């Protein structure tokens, strides 16, 4: 009886060890599948973003907006850059009220803190477009410029908008276009 009990316990222990090993293998397989799925989703998001960026460069803003929306629907880890692109598209489509709402929501979000200057610029552009008055955006432009974190193209654009004279505005607009040839904002000056 005692030997039988030891054999049964040994058999149970081996079965438990095999089960644990299979569980570890299964978990490793699941982890690998999860990682592959994350990579696939990241590639899909990047593809939609690139498609939107290309459409935006060509002035196909509705298509760009749709691409950015598709990318956002995939729930990227950092949605802020896509949300910023979406706001730019809305401004280009003269959907200023929606652009302003979305810019305001981004300004309130902690995730977008490192993009604050760019979002302020967009809020100013939305207000300027909505009210057909560049002066409406000036406080946003000034704050964005003061933060010192705008891209060189956006810095030059804001300086052009805030310029005291036409010659300075033209020089800054040309600087913005040298930095970013597809800048719709600079082209619109």
């Amino acid at each position: 009886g005692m030997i039988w009990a030891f054999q049964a316990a040994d058999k149970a222990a081996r079965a438990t060890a095999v089960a644990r090993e299979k569980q570890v293998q299964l978990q490793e397989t699941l982890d690998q599948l999860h990682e592959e799925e994350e990579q696939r989703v990241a590639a899909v998001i990047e593809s939609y973003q690139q498609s939107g960026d290309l459409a935006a460069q060509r002035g196909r803003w509705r298509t760009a907006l749709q691409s950015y929306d598709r990318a956002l629907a995939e729930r990227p880890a950092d949605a802020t850059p896509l949300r910023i692109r979406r706001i730019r598209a809305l401004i280009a489509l003269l959907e200023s009220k929606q652009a302003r709402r979305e810019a305001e929501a981004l300004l309130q979000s902690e995730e977008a803190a490192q993009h604050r200057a760019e979002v302020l610029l967009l809020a100013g552009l939305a207000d300027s477009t909505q009210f057909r008055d560049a002066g409406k955006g000036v406080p946003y432009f000034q704050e964005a410029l003061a933060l010192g974190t705008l891209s060189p193209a956006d810095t030059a654009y804001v300086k052009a908008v805030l310029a005291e004279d036409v010659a300075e505005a033209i020089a800054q607009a040309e600087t913005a276009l040298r930095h970013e040839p597809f800048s719709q904002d600079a082209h619109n000056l």
Side-chain angles (χ1 to χ4, degrees):
M2 197 72 140
I3 293 175
W4 180 82
F6 282 125
Q7 288 174 339
D10 184 50
K11 190 175 183 179
R14 279 185 282 162
T16 301
V18 168
R20 282 191 185 129
E21 187 177 319
K22 286 185 179 187
Q23 185 179 16
V24 166
Q25 289 173 346
L26 180 60
Q27 187 60 50
E28 288 172 355
T29 301
L30 287 172
D31 290 345
Q32 182 180 355
L33 288 172
H34 182 69
E35 185 176 322
E36 289 171 4
E37 177 65 8
E38 284 179 351
Q39 290 172 353
R40 185 197 65 75
V41 169
V44 167
I45 290 168
E46 184 176 342
S47 175
Y48 283 136
Q49 178 181 321
Q50 289 174 351
S51 175
D53 291 349
L54 186 59
Q57 287 176 358
R58 294 179 175 168
R60 299 183 62 214
W61 294 104
R62 186 67 56 199
T63 301
L65 187 62
Q66 291 169 346
S67 293
Y68 299 144
D69 285 344
R70 287 184 180 119
L72 286 165
E74 295 292 329
R75 301 194 173 158
D78 181 8
T80 301
L82 283 164
R83 291 175 67 190
I84 287 171
R85 285 171 167 84
R86 179 178 160 65
I87 293 167
R88 284 192 185 276
L90 288 168
I91 291 168
L93 290 166
L94 302 177
E95 294 181 22
S96 306
K97 287 181 182 177
Q98 182 64 29
R100 182 68 174 85
R101 280 192 296 272
E102 292 188 26
E104 191 58 42
L106 262 181
L107 286 172
Q108 303 304 318
S109 106
E110 285 184 33
E111 300 86 44
Q114 71 185 43
H115 300 278
R116 184 168 178 77
E118 188 175 7
V119 178
L120 285 165
L121 167 62
L122 294 175
L125 286 170
D127 278 1
S128 297
T129 305
Q130 180 179 344
F131 298 108
R132 306 211 188 293
D133 176 2
K136 293 285 188 187
V138 168
Y140 295 104
F141 298 146
Q142 290 170 330
E143 185 179 347
L145 192 60
L147 288 172
T149 57
L150 288 172
S151 70
D154 285 344
T155 297
Y157 171 77
V158 170
K159 287 180 177 179
V161 170
L162 297 175
E164 298 287 326
D165 61 74
V166 175
E168 175 66 13
I170 290 170
Q172 291 295 340
E174 289 172 347
T175 299
L177 288 171
R178 271 197 306 281
H179 286 289
E180 194 176 315
F182 294 106
S183 170
Q184 200 67 32
D185 302 328
H187 279 287
N188 288 339
L189 281 176

